[in-house]
Amino acid sequence: MSRIGVFICHCGLNIAGTIEVEKVVKLVSDYPEVVYATDYMYMCSDPGQDMIKEMVKEKKLDGVVVAACSPTMHETTFRNAIASVGLNPYRGEIANIREQCSWVHQNHKEIATEKAVKIIEATIEKLKLDMPLIPLSVPVTKRALVIGGGIAGIQASLDIADSGYEVILVEKNQSIGGHMLQLSETFPTLDCPQCIATPKMVQVGQHPKIKLLAFSEVEEVSGYVGNFQVKIRRKASFVDWDKCTGCGLCMEKCPVRVPSEFNEFLSKRKAIYTLFPQAVPNKPVIDSNNCLYFTKGKCRVCEKNCSLKAINFEQKDSLVEEKVGAIIVATGYDLMNKAEVGEYGYGKYKDVIDGMQLERLLAPAGPTEGIPYRPSDGKIPKEVVFIQCVGSRDPEHYYPYCSKICCMYTVKQAMLYKHAVPDGQAYVFYMDIRCNGKGYEEFLQRGIEEDRILYLRGRVSKIFKDGDKIKVWGADTLTGRKIEISADLVVLAMAIIPSKGAKKLAEKLRLATDDYGFLTEAHPKLRPVESLTAGYFLAGAAQAPKDIPETVAQASGAASKVDSLFSKDELYHEPIIANVDEEVCVGCGNCVNICAYDAVELDLKTKKARVNPVICEGCGACSAACPSGAMQQNNFSKRQIFEMVNIFTV
Amino acid sequence: MKTEISIKNIKSKFLDKVEELSEENLYACYQCGKCSAGCPSISEMDISPGEIIRLVQLGQEKEVLDSKTIWICASCFTCVTRCPKGVDLAKVMEALRQITLRKNVDYVSPWSIPKEVLSQVPQIALVSCLRKFSA
Amino acid sequence: MKISYFPGCTLKTMAKNFEDSAIASLSFLGIEMVELPRWNCCGTVYSLTSDDLIHQVAPIRNLIRVKEARDTRVVALCSMCYHTLKRANKLVKEDQEKLDKLNNLMYREDVKYNGEVEVLHLLEILKNEVGFDQVSKKVKMPLKGLKVAPYYGCLLLRPAEVGLDDPESPTILKDLLESVGAEAIDFPYETECCGSYHTVVNVNLVVERAHDILSFAISQKAEAIVLSCPLCGFNLDHRQKEIKEKFPDFKSIPVFYFTQLLALSLGLDEKVCRFELNFIDPRPLLKSKHFIGGV
């Protein structure tokens, strides 16, 4: 015989305005095995909780039903309350008579009251069969994995390492830094990005707690929060980085010249190369697709000139295994390919470039030392047209979203162009100007007023080559005209999309993404740096387009989540998980196929299902799919559910 | 110039008629101007194509129906192909023309075409011209 | 091989040069274009209002004729016919209610239409049925050294769901021109509207459009224009008289239907090309390139 206490909350008028609470208390008090029933204004308040605690002790209750709001809101509150006075928290249940009763039947008070009683009675039936469960505890490996070495990954790694935990930073390119290192100057301060980022990069390279694995990619992840096993592929660079001192002689001697990815194909690099002079690590990589030895079996000039014998053409990829407790995904962004846009030439015009290409042309250390010469003939452009929103805000053909940063970098680029070519003219075709950061609006007005950039409000319908000029057909909706400009150079602000390979990685890690490949956060407002999967955190543009200050803030936020995870020595896992009755199980395997978390496997020898209690998230799918009833969920057994159904159908 | 707007002309029968005939939601247009930017006939128009939608939204029936624009439109579908919101402006223009034509008012009446022109132009020009412009 | 052929009004009169050269070329390539019996006007221009079902009767009736001819495909040459037939076909294929209403309206027809016919353009036949490489093989006189501006106009390519090729960067005419040995220039004005039916009441508009298109082609060193629509043909060819009146410095440029160049390259007699129907005489250009003989 149980001794159950029922506590009914008014929730102000939310419940009491529709449900006759006194009547419910009276009816419920007479229900079998209920020894105490009462009501209160706000059960979740301190006095409300105290009342529950007192009554548990006084009436020696062995089970508590709180009839109130949704479990999502206060299940934890009430379970903690009863646990504090020695009652097992899983002997406490919430009967939702607000969201599922008073809020949806506001015009039917009598029926709502009847229904509330039934909800409480059903919950009592469930509670009678609830077992006093003990949460499982798992140890936490206090090491973090950060995937992506751009500014987000760099910041997160430094924050976690500075808190005293070890970090493994994996970056697919041969140097960390990401796109920020390609930029010319950053808005709104016109800081040199290489100057502000390289100190952080050096810190990462030298930090005793950071293990930097550059030119590497995550191959496989298994396990669960606090206990991940990660396989990382260290790609063959064909240079022994332990022997190499970064002297650069091999790069000087290499005869091959191919288009440079870092310089957005505006200049050439060698087949053995580093990305830029301040690279961390500052060690070269051989591009086997273009190296003369790998393609034709000749040359080997780099090897001949390396006195430290650091060149190793036989080097193979290697796999490294690491154990970590938390993973931050900071894989960043790329620009949409301009070759996808038909009305702007499908990428075939040399003098129609994208924003990143202009960054390289404007960068003082770039291929043209900061003067934006036309890629086609090297002349200085006197009239430059900037087109915003290319591929963005276009639900019909490309991406419906706004890429957030283009308005700001376009005005910055137009200003830098004017500083480099003072007698030139910059035009910007825009739809709206989005300047929502600190100092951004002032920066825009400075650009317009001081550098006299002409802003034309309208999109561009078509651009094409006319002689050695690029004809631009745009609109100025403020005067209702079609505007034609014969430009020397056209710069497209292409849509921001997730980094190449990010989608595949998300699939490997089983992380939720949206339709465009951006990682999905646990809650868009209140949990922006956590993913839906426990143990994975998000930082930077991998989650959505954003600028550098937001990226750095988010990276620190993700790092602090990791720190709080690591502050515990043990993690508690909810025990409302699936359970197999081996005597009943016939080994059909339905549960294995249906589990979204890979938490069930079929033991090949005994032919029985086996649940991994730490990975199981208690979703109930396997219990529903089990044809024999062998699989049941703790405190959600078939019997419990039927008892609840009986209350409603009688 | 000053234009007073209120629920009367924003929720006008004119807008309803245009949306019904064209099966387009005019509120999907965010006035980006791409249609105007690509329109080959804009030099002969008095109001730019994108502005026509704006005026319909503001309930300015007379100004729109009296414009040259809706009759200069050649239904080339360039705007339709490029509109980022998928608004079929060619259908909107047709709806606006039809509002006048269906009152039995010709824009071009067959008898007004000079004899020399009739014998000069190919049949297809006459067929399509009269289909578009006569009641 | 035989295929049903829909000529449309103008191909039988002012644009007979288009029809004759097409039929002759296809016949040489092994395809017999069988004119649809009892065809009627295609119903151009496709009606853009939602409630205008009566205007779909003309195009759908033509598709019934195709069914009666026991064929499932019909080929059109004129861009406007192609566009109207194809769009009407798509409308009824996607809306059973409209199709039923149309069949009821045409109750006196022996056959009902149920979306069985596919509307094709001759260029599609050349690309997919014959293949441009096969065309190349049959070319007797490659049109070497002839620089041509391929012109598509509007209705062949737009809207994208009934278009023949990519509306921003089509290549089908270029592929054809290259298969017959000619050189197609890069021509951004290839998809710009010629002014269409405004040629009846607003000649100035057409003159402006045509002038822009032709001048750009000439500035890109094109020696001829090639196209596929009798209305575009009239606006770009015949209206050169009015263009010259408004722009005295304008240099004329011959305009061909693509089948005329095809027929020439296949070695067919000049007569099937009916060059006398081209307004700007193309013969001096062709003679200078030694594609035709005579003085």
Side-chain angles (χ1 to χ4, degrees), chain A residues 343-344 392-398 430-431 457-462 473-475 477-483, chain B residues 30-43 46-48 51 78 80-87:
Chain A
E343 59 265 40
Y344 298 165
S392 306
R393 302 185 63 187
D394 194 332
E396 186 70 9
H397 311 99
Y398 311 108
Y430 72 100
M431 272 206 282
R457 200 232 167 236
R459 282 186 107 145
V460 168
S461 183
K462 185 167 167 151
W473 284 348
T477 62
L478 300 177
T479 52
R481 293 167 199 242
K482 173 175 178 170
I483 304 284
Chain B
Y30 58 12
Q31 291 288 304
C32 73
K34 201 159 178 179
C35 48
S36 307
C39 177
S41 311
I42 198 176
S43 348
D46 48 354
I47 304 177
S48 69
E51 280 185 316
T78 303
V80 174
T81 309
R82 298 206 179 129
C83 176
K85 293 299 284 307
V87 175

Side-chain angles (χ1 to χ4, degrees), chain A residues 13-293:
Chain A
L13 285 176
N14 277 312
I15 293 176
T18 307
I19 294 174
E20 287 175 76
V21 181
E22 291 79 20
K23 192 169 174 195
V24 175
V25 173
K26 209 161 161 297
L27 288 170
V28 162
S29 320
D30 295 334
Y31 198 80
E33 302 190 42
V34 173
V35 302
Y36 181 73
T38 188
D39 62 295
Y40 188 63
M41 229 357 139
Y42 293 104
M43 272 305 173
C44 55
S45 64
D46 279 344
Q49 290 185 52
D50 285 342
M51 179 202 290
I52 299 176
K53 291 183 203 176
E54 288 292 314
M55 288 301 132
V56 165
K57 284 189 289 196
E58 199 186 298
K59 303 279 178 184
K60 297 199 195 343
L61 302 176
D62 65 4
V64 161
V65 171
V66 181
C69 52
S70 157
T72 324
M73 308 239 48
H74 281 302
E75 186 176 70
T76 316
T77 314
F78 296 125
R79 283 191 173 163
N80 286 344
I82 63 179
S84 72
V85 286
L87 181 55
N88 184 296
Y90 295 95
R91 290 286 302 174
E93 292 281 356
I94 285 199
N96 186 343
I97 59 169
R98 191 183 74 171
E99 282 86 337
Q100 300 203 357
C101 192
S102 67
W103 273 1
V104 292
H105 301 301
Q106 280 167 346
N107 297 325
H108 299 96
K109 295 195 159 89
E110 247 191 72
I111 299 180
T113 308
E114 272 177 47
K115 179 173 168 180
V117 171
K118 284 222 154 45
I119 293 176
I120 295 171
E121 289 176 353
T123 311
I124 292 173
E125 289 303 322
K126 176 184 194 276
L127 177 62
K128 285 204 298 216
L129 298 167
D130 273 344
M131 293 185 291
L133 304 169
I134 311 281
L136 309 127
S137 72
V138 290
V140 182
T141 309
K142 298 190 189 188
R143 295 170 88 226
L145 171 68
V146 177
I147 308 179
I151 189 64
I154 289 171
Q155 185 62 48
S157 304
L158 286 173
D159 285 346
I160 299 172
D162 283 345
S163 307
Y165 303 109
E166 224 178 77
V167 178
I168 300 159
L169 175 56
V170 173
E171 163 58 46
K172 72 179 181 202
N173 289 322
Q174 70 250 53
S175 165
I176 55 175
H179 283 304
M180 187 173 165
L181 269 285
Q182 289 179 288
L183 306 179
S184 55
E185 288 176 35
T186 54
F187 57 79
T189 48
L190 294 183
D191 269 311
C192 152
Q194 293 83 12
C195 310
I196 55 177
T198 41
K200 289 199 193 254
M201 288 164 58
V202 168
Q203 262 191 291
V204 166
Q206 295 176 346
H207 205 296
K209 291 263 177 199
I210 299 182
K211 189 167 169 182
L212 173 56
L213 300 178
F215 209 55
S216 307
E217 296 192 44
V218 169
E219 184 93 342
E220 198 185 293
V221 175
S222 58
Y224 48 91
V225 57
N227 299 277
F228 291 109
Q229 286 88 44
V230 188
K231 276 205 192 93
I232 300 165
R233 175 179 294 276
R234 306 216 59 189
K235 301 184 282 193
S237 59
F238 308 108
V239 177
D240 185 339
W241 283 3
D242 291 325
K243 293 193 183 138
C244 172
T245 55
C247 74
L249 193 56
C250 53
M251 298 190 278
E252 252 185 70
K253 299 289 181 188
C254 176
V256 176
R257 313 196 88 220
V258 287
S260 158
E261 294 87 349
F262 186 78
N263 279 335
E264 299 293 323
F265 310 109
L266 294 168
S267 72
K268 299 258 163 66
R269 60 156 171 84
K270 303 293 182 83
I272 182 168
Y273 68 110
T274 53
L275 285 183
F276 47 89
Q278 312 99 318
V280 170
N282 203 349
K283 307 282 165 80
V285 148
I286 296 183
D287 169 11
S288 57
N289 290 328
N290 288 295
C291 163
L292 286 175
Y293 170 70

